[in-house]
């Protein structure tokens, strides 16, 4: 809730319901995009054990979801983890968490718009120009998507959240139909190359250590990332301390069932042997390829189009989430005051949204022109960096939840619940550790290096302005009624 007497241009209005919050969380998680392009990264690390990695990621996400549910039952703020951590720990930690979360959403904006560009390039090659279209065309398509996202992010969000939810829902339904038909053929043995139901997908292959699974879990967390995005609508949603927790937990539960079940079918359908895993890793759109092999070739085009819309919707949700965090941080003096402006008619932080879009464009432009990276390389680097800094923000929020359990004096929270955030913290910590120790080499170095650079920049920037952090803490306490 806004501070009493706050200037009108820094006050958001409550115009959204629980389904609007669900729409932003589901769109940012973008399951129909994620299921097409994220499991390949997991498979490159863990082979056939992709569903196992996603199952472990689901456990971690549900533990983190408990943290966000408990915190959002007490606090409703556009700054999400900035407010959660700032109130439960201290303002400087909250500022760090807020900027890291905003950075994650910006990186995911680059990930998802690039993914949309990759899907469109793949579709154009299949339909119109099989050989002539170069890889860099994906960046051009990505920027067309980004231009549309910029336009939509500056409009009132209420109608946009409905479009996000309906678009994602239709594509997910189609993917589930293809998955069900594929599973039926696996059970009956009507498969292209003798593939069959094989529960070894929930075990690691010989020669692969269990600890290696945690390298693949990063892409599992990437697939879930954004499930908590509803928390950024805490100042725009009716009854936020009831509706926001429902949206967060419901999105996390759905994502867990969807990702584990569908990745298991995907891996089985491609085959669990070396050739099958290799084909799985090389796929540009997993469900599109399955539709072509197991259902009907024309359906693969429909799924790729749906995944493209999903990626574009996820980019929009990423910009929406980033803009709310940037707005909240800037309103409290942790960022430039100009970024706290709200459009007088549309009730959106339009300047913060434009800033987030510009940052997404800059990431892609540097990747293309300065690093000479391919679109999928930019996708992977931004995905890894965004996920690693998000895990740090999740860790800070989890520490805040642990402190809340012991100090809140809230009869809704039982002392034994501290076990859940502690387990979540252990899983987050080990996943981070396993992704930087031993330090990666070659092209795998870019993502962790970028994450470390952002972390140093954010921590250094916050520590350099202690007075601003203290003032932000006072504002946070007042806004939350303490």
């Amino acid at each position: 809730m806004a501070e009493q007497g706050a200037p009108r241009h820094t006050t958001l209005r409550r115009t959204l319901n629980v389904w609007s919050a669900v729409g932003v969380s589901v769109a940012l998680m973008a399951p129909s995009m994620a299921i097409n392009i994220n499991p390949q990264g997991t498979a490159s690390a863990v082979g056939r054990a992709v569903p196992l990695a996603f199952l472990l990621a689901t456990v971690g996400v549900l533990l983190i979801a408990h943290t966000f549910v408990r915190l959002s039952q007490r606090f409703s703020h556009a700054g999400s983890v900035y407010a959660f951590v700032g109130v439960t720990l201290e303002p400087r930690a909250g500022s760090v968490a807020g900027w890291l979360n905003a950075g994650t959403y910006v990186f995911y904006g680059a990930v998802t718009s690039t993914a949309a560009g990759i899907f469109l390039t793949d579709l154009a090659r299949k339909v119109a120009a099989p050989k002539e279209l170069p890889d860099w065309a994906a960046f051009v398509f990505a920027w067309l998507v980004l231009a549309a996202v910029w336009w939509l992010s500056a409009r009132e969000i209420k109608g946009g959240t409905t479009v996000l939810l309906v678009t994602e829902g239709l594509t997910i339904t189609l993917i589930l139909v293809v998955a069900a038909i594929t599973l039926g053929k696996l059970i009956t043995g009507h498969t292209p190359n003798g593939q069959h139901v094989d529960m070894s997908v929930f075990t690691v292959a010989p020669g692969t250590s269990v600890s290696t699974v945690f390298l693949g879990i990063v892409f599992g967390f990437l697939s879930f990332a954004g499930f908590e995005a509803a928390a950024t609508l805490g100042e725009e949603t009716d009854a936020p301390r009831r509706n926001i927790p429902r949206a967060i937990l419901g999105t996390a539960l759905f994502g867990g069932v969807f990702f584990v079940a569908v990745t298991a079918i995907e891996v089985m359908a491609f085959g669990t042997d070396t050739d099958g895993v290799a084909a799985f890793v090389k796929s540009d759109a997993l469900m599109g390829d399955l539709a072509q092999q197991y259902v009907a070739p024309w359906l693969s085009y429909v799924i790729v189009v749906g995944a493209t819309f999903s990626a574009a919707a996820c980019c929009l949700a990423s910009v929406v989430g980033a803009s709310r965090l940037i707005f909240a941080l800037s309103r409290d003096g942790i960022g430039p005051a100009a970024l706290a402006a709200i459009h007088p008619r549309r009730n959106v932080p339009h300047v913060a949204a434009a800033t987030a879009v510009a940052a997404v464009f800059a990431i892609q432009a540097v990747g293309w022109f300065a690093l000479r990276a391919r679109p999928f390389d930019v996708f992977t680097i931004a995905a890894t960096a965004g996920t690693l800094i998000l895990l740090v923000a999740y860790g800070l929020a989890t520490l805040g939840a642990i402190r809340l359990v012991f100090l809140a004096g809230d009869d809704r929270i039982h002392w034994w619940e501290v076990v859940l955030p502690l387990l979540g913290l252990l899983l987050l910590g080990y996943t981070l550790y396993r992704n930087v120790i031993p330090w990666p080499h070659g092209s795998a170095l870019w993502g962790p290096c970028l994450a470390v650079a952002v972390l140093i920049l954010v921590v250094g920037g916050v520590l350099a302005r202690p007075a601003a952090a203290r003032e932000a803490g006072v504002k946070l306490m007042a806004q939350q009624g303490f």
Side-chain angles (χ1 to χ4, degrees), residues 328-413:
L329 288 156
S330 301
R331 179 180 61 183
D332 288 356
I334 306 297
L339 299 182
I342 292 177
H343 196 282
R345 286 186 295 105
R346 297 172 184 156
N347 188 43
V348 293
H350 58 299
V351 179
T355 302
V357 169
V360 170
F361 175 83
I363 291 169
Q364 293 166 328
V366 168
W368 183 9
F369 296 115
L371 302 181
R372 301 294 181 186
R374 296 180 304 117
F376 195 80
D377 294 331
V378 172
F379 171 92
T380 303
I381 292 167
T384 302
T387 302
L388 291 177
I389 63 173
L390 179 63
L391 295 184
V392 176
Y394 280 169
L396 289 171
T398 304
L399 285 171
I402 292 170
R403 188 177 185 196
L404 183 67
V405 168
F406 285 113
L407 301 181
D410 189 334
D411 57 10
R412 293 175 297 179
I413 302 177

Side-chain angles (χ1 to χ4, degrees), residues 132 288 418:
E132 293 80 1
V418 75

Side-chain angles (χ1 to χ4, degrees), residues 4 9 34 68 121 201 220 243 274 283 291-292 300 306 349 363-364 390 407 411 415 450:
Q4 188 108 23
H9 73 288
F68 275 89
T121 303
V201 296
N243 288 331
T274 303
S283 173
Q292 188 166 26
S300 67
I363 291 169
Q364 293 166 328
L390 179 63
L407 301 181
D411 57 10
W415 65 268
L450 187 55

Side-chain angles (χ1 to χ4, degrees), residues 41-42 44-46 53 57 210-222 380-381 383-389 391-392 426-441 443-452:
T42 301
S44 64
V46 304
V210 175
S211 64
T212 303
V213 175
F214 283 84
L215 292 174
I217 282 179
V218 163
F219 283 90
F221 277 122
L222 168 64
T380 303
I381 292 167
T384 302
T387 302
L388 291 177
I389 63 173
L391 295 184
V392 176
L426 286 172
L427 186 61
L428 288 171
Y430 187 71
T431 303
L432 279 167
Y433 169 81
R434 194 65 189 84
N435 277 272
V436 297
I437 304 296
W439 191 246
H441 299 286
S443 59
L445 187 66
W446 283 103
C449 276
L450 187 55
V452 170

Side-chain angles (χ1 to χ4, degrees), residues 39-383:
Q40 295 94 314
T42 301
S44 64
V46 304
R48 72 188 186 199
V50 173
L52 175 61
F54 273 82
L55 180 60
L56 291 173
T58 298
V59 172
V61 165
L62 290 176
L63 292 171
I64 296 162
H66 172 269
T67 289
F68 275 89
V69 165
R70 283 309 191 193
L71 292 173
S72 58
Q73 284 174 337
R74 291 179 60 85
F75 313 117
S76 52
H77 196 279
S80 182
V81 294
Y82 157 59
F84 296 163
V85 177
V87 174
T88 56
L89 294 181
E90 56 103 24
R92 285 176 300 181
S95 301
V96 168
W99 281 117
L100 289 179
N101 206 12
T104 291
Y105 289 162
V106 167
F107 278 126
Y108 285 170
V111 168
T112 51
S113 56
T114 302
I118 291 171
F119 290 146
L120 286 170
T121 303
D122 180 55
L123 192 64
R125 282 172 174 163
K126 289 176 178 176
V127 175
K131 297 179 181 178
E132 293 80 1
L133 208 59
D135 282 349
W136 55 257
F139 287 120
V140 177
F141 285 130
W143 288 342
L144 292 174
V145 169
L146 198 57
V149 165
W150 179 30
W151 186 82
L152 289 169
S153 66
R155 266 63 191 168
E156 194 157 357
I157 190 176
K158 188 172 182 178
T161 58
T162 302
V163 172
L164 292 177
L165 190 58
V166 171
T167 300
E168 191 65 25
L170 290 173
T171 309
I172 289 170
T173 301
L174 184 58
I175 285 173
L176 289 175
V177 169
V178 172
I181 294 172
T182 302
L183 180 59
K185 292 190 175 183
L186 288 168
I187 292 171
T188 58
H190 294 88
T191 57
N193 298 301
Q195 296 95 328
H196 57 278
V197 173
D198 186 353
M199 299 309 289
S200 69
V201 296
F202 290 99
T203 63
V204 293
T208 304
S209 66
V210 175
S211 64
T212 303
V213 175
F214 283 84
L215 292 174
I217 282 179
V218 163
F219 283 90
F221 277 122
L222 168 64
S223 300
F224 279 97
F227 79 93
E228 81 296 338
T232 64
L233 302 179
E235 295 179 33
E236 299 167 78
T237 305
D238 293 331
R241 298 183 187 184
R242 182 184 72 245
N243 288 331
I244 297 298
R246 289 177 177 177
I248 291 172
L249 184 59
T251 302
L253 286 169
F254 165 75
V257 174
F258 179 81
F259 287 131
V260 174
V262 178
T263 55
I265 294 169
E266 286 177 334
V267 178
M268 293 177 196
F270 273 86
T272 57
D273 59 2
T274 303
D275 291 341
V277 172
F280 185 98
V281 172
K282 291 178 182 177
S283 173
D284 287 328
L286 289 168
M287 292 307 300
D289 288 345
L290 288 192
Q292 188 166 26
Q293 293 179 41
Y294 284 82
V295 187
W298 63 266
L299 193 57
S300 67
Y301 300 146
V302 178
I303 286 182
V304 173
V305 170
T308 302
F309 276 103
S310 174
C314 183
C315 183
L316 175 58
S318 298
V319 169
V320 168
S323 66
R324 269 56 179 179
L325 281 156
I326 294 168
F327 156 76
L329 288 156
S330 301
R331 179 180 61 183
D332 288 356
I334 306 297
L339 299 182
I342 292 177
H343 196 282
R345 286 186 295 105
R346 297 172 184 156
N347 188 43
V348 293
H350 58 299
V351 179
T355 302
V357 169
V360 170
F361 175 83
I363 291 169
Q364 293 166 328
V366 168
W368 183 9
F369 296 115
L371 302 181
R372 301 294 181 186
R374 296 180 304 117
F376 195 80
D377 294 331
V378 172
F379 171 92
T380 303
I381 292 167

